[in-house]
Amino acid sequence: MMLENIKMSWMNIAHNKMRSFLTILGIVIGVASIIALITIVKGATGEVTEQMSSLGADKVTVQVQGTPLKQGLLESDIGELEKIEHVTGVSPTLSGKTSIAYSKNVMEDISIQGENQVHFRKNEDLVEEGRAINKLDIENKNRVVLIGSGIEKELFWGKDPVGENIQIAGVNFQVIGTLKESDSYSNDSTNETVVMPYTTAMGFLQTGSVSKADIYMDDPKNSDEVTSGVEKVMNQAFNYKNEGYSIINMGDMISSINDITDMMTLMLGGIASISLVVGGIGIMNMMLVSVTERTAEIGLRKALGAEPKRIQQQFLFESVFLSLFGGLIGLVTGVAIAFVVCSIMGTSFALSASTILLAIGFSAAIGILFGFAPARKASQLHPIDALRSN
């Protein structure tokens, strides 16, 4: 009997093709909107999260504004930061501006950056040729540098700079390596930068402290514990004057971004679901019209012994079929729209199984919910009244 009901439901839908299509159009739009919006948002936010992660989810950054009594971090402070549990390395940074010369060529307003071996160990793709700064360079305050691609092209066109000596503000430094070319639009471009050991830079820039330090940890899960340890060291270093420094936890920032994107996804999904509700109302309207049109058929079936639950089952099947067909068409449409938009935006196409199940499951639920009342109305028709209405 169930197979017969399914067959009759399908035949009725096929017999009214245009009406059926117009009825499921709301479901198509709703499902397509849910899948397209959620997929596009996930792709875009995934790109943002990936870029944030590339900045270092495994590190905590300390920026020092200084106080009247203390301008920056001393080497002893850096040593205390290195002792914090779960910390695998500390990378202090200094920066300044100067002029450099090689042979008779001079470049003005060049950035000087002081780093240590931890910086290069955590950023292995920085060096193009030669070697990175090592621990001995830090301890011995060696006058060695790595130069950016812009400096290499300007001063050493057609020549290998590694092993050559350059003058920085009149002081000789040996070039031990070159840096990979950075995006010219990048905020942290190193193309016009000279990198030297931070201990050498402290003397060269005539400062005894550093204004920034990246603290790397063994696992991003320990970020809260490491941040707490960093706060303790910084409070002791700056006599509990919080305005003297700021701590940036990249892990917390990424977590906050993920929370915001999850909220946006739910909000967009909720907005798109309104179309599904409208589509469900359309299905209910069609099914009520269908019950009215087929009153005589219902009365005849009941007179021949059809049980009310069988009548209800048939109309419920029709409603669910309409909703599921709309869901499938909406699925294909939504995936196509999301793929095109993601390709244009240059973001990843992140279609998840949960998104598909949510959209299809919701459309099926709409069919059952809005199809129940018409199906129940059909099942409760009295056979004599139904046949008389013909």
Side-chain angles (χ1 to χ4, degrees):
M1 184 63 70
M2 182 179 292
L3 291 176
E4 183 180 345
N5 279 338
I6 293 174
K7 182 178 179 181
M8 292 180 67
S9 300
W10 170 253
M11 289 177 63
N12 187 60
I13 292 172
H15 182 69
N16 299 281
K17 295 183 179 66
M18 181 56 68
R19 187 169 69 176
S20 298
F21 174 74
L22 293 175
T23 301
I24 67 174
L25 197 55
I27 301 294
V28 172
I29 294 172
V31 172
S33 300
I34 289 176
I35 291 180
L37 287 174
I38 292 178
T39 303
I40 292 169
V41 169
K42 281 189 175 181
T45 53
E47 193 76 18
V48 173
T49 303
E50 185 177 345
Q51 291 181 7
M52 291 291 294
S53 298
S54 67
L55 296 177
D58 63 338
K59 73 178 180 182
V60 174
T61 300
V62 174
Q63 294 275 8
V64 179
Q65 291 79 41
T67 64
L69 297 177
K70 189 172 184 179
Q71 296 301 310
L73 293 173
L74 305 176
E75 289 192 61
S76 58
D77 298 325
I78 295 171
E80 290 299 317
L81 291 172
E82 290 174 340
K83 295 177 183 178
I84 297 173
E85 189 176 1
H86 302 299
V87 169
T88 59
V90 177
S91 174
T93 299
L94 288 90
S95 59
K97 293 282 187 178
T98 189
S99 62
I100 64 172
Y102 174 74
S103 186
K104 296 181 180 181
N105 299 318
V106 179
M107 295 183 70
E108 302 286 347
D109 200 31
I110 296 299
S111 296
I112 289 182
Q113 192 170 309
E115 301 288 356
N116 68 354
Q117 74 280 3
V118 175
H119 175 75
F120 287 94
R121 188 173 73 238
K122 295 295 183 178
N123 300 274
E124 297 178 350
D125 59 343
L126 288 179
V127 180
E128 179 70 31
E129 293 183 3
R131 69 172 179 86
I133 292 171
N134 58 36
K135 190 174 182 179
L136 290 176
D137 294 325
I138 301 298
E139 292 176 351
N140 297 327
K141 303 180 181 179
N142 292 336
R143 293 179 179 176
V144 294
V145 293
L146 291 92
I147 61 174
S149 59
I151 298 173
E152 180 184 3
K153 292 175 183 177
E154 181 72 22
L155 300 183
F156 298 94
W157 181 257
K159 185 177 182 179
D160 185 4
V162 178
E164 298 291 327
N165 289 325
I166 62 173
Q167 289 75 46
I168 302 178
V171 180
N172 282 333
F173 282 79
Q174 183 182 36
V175 179
I176 60 172
T178 60
L179 302 171
K180 286 188 177 179
E181 185 172 3
S182 302
D183 185 343
S184 58
Y185 298 102
S186 173
N187 291 329
D188 57 352
S189 173
T190 57
N191 295 338
E192 307 293 330
T193 300
V194 171
V195 180
M196 64 178 65
Y198 86 92
T199 50
T200 307
M202 289 174 72
F204 186 79
L205 297 173
Q206 297 182 350
T207 179
S209 61
V210 298
S211 58
K212 176 187 173 184
D214 293 326
I215 298 96
Y216 293 92
M217 64 194 83
D218 53 8
D219 193 327
K221 295 178 180 178
N222 297 320
S223 62
D224 290 340
E225 185 176 348
V226 170
T227 301
S228 177
V230 171
E231 288 179 350
K232 183 178 180 180
V233 171
M234 297 302 293
N235 283 334
Q236 292 174 348
F238 288 90
N239 197 25
Y240 292 90
K241 295 187 180 296
N242 296 336
E243 67 275 8
Y245 66 90
S246 58
I247 299 174
I248 303 172
N249 188 336
M250 295 301 297
D252 287 347
M253 292 179 65
I254 293 172
S255 178
S256 297
I257 290 174
N258 288 334
D259 291 341
I260 293 171
T261 55
D262 288 343
M263 188 180 301
M264 286 180 59
T265 300
L266 288 173
M267 182 182 68
L268 290 173
I271 294 172
S273 299
I274 296 174
S275 299
L276 281 176
V277 175
V278 174
I281 295 172
I283 289 177
M284 177 185 283
N285 181 60
M286 176 191 167
M287 295 306 299
L288 288 171
V289 171
S290 181
V291 170
T292 303
E293 290 177 346
R294 296 159 63 187
T295 301
E297 174 194 333
I298 297 169
L300 181 59
R301 290 190 62 189
K302 281 200 165 187
L304 294 175
E307 298 177 2
K309 66 178 182 179
R310 299 299 180 187
I311 303 293
Q312 181 174 329
Q313 188 180 72
Q314 178 188 342
F315 281 88
L316 200 56
F317 278 150
E318 286 187 29
S319 176
V320 172
F321 283 160
L322 287 169
S323 188
L324 283 177
F325 291 150
L328 292 174
I329 297 173
L331 170 62
V332 175
T333 305
V335 169
I337 293 172
F339 181 79
V340 171
V341 173
C342 288
S343 298
I344 294 173
M345 293 174 59
T347 57
S348 59
F349 177 68
L351 179 64
S352 63
S354 60
T355 303
I356 296 174
L357 291 175
L358 174 65
I360 299 299
F362 200 175
S363 64
I366 287 291
I368 295 172
L369 181 64
F370 286 90
F372 181 78
R376 183 172 177 80
K377 178 181 178 181
S379 69
Q380 291 180 339
L381 284 176
H382 195 280
I384 296 176
D385 295 335
L387 289 172
R388 186 181 297 144
S389 66
N390 193 28

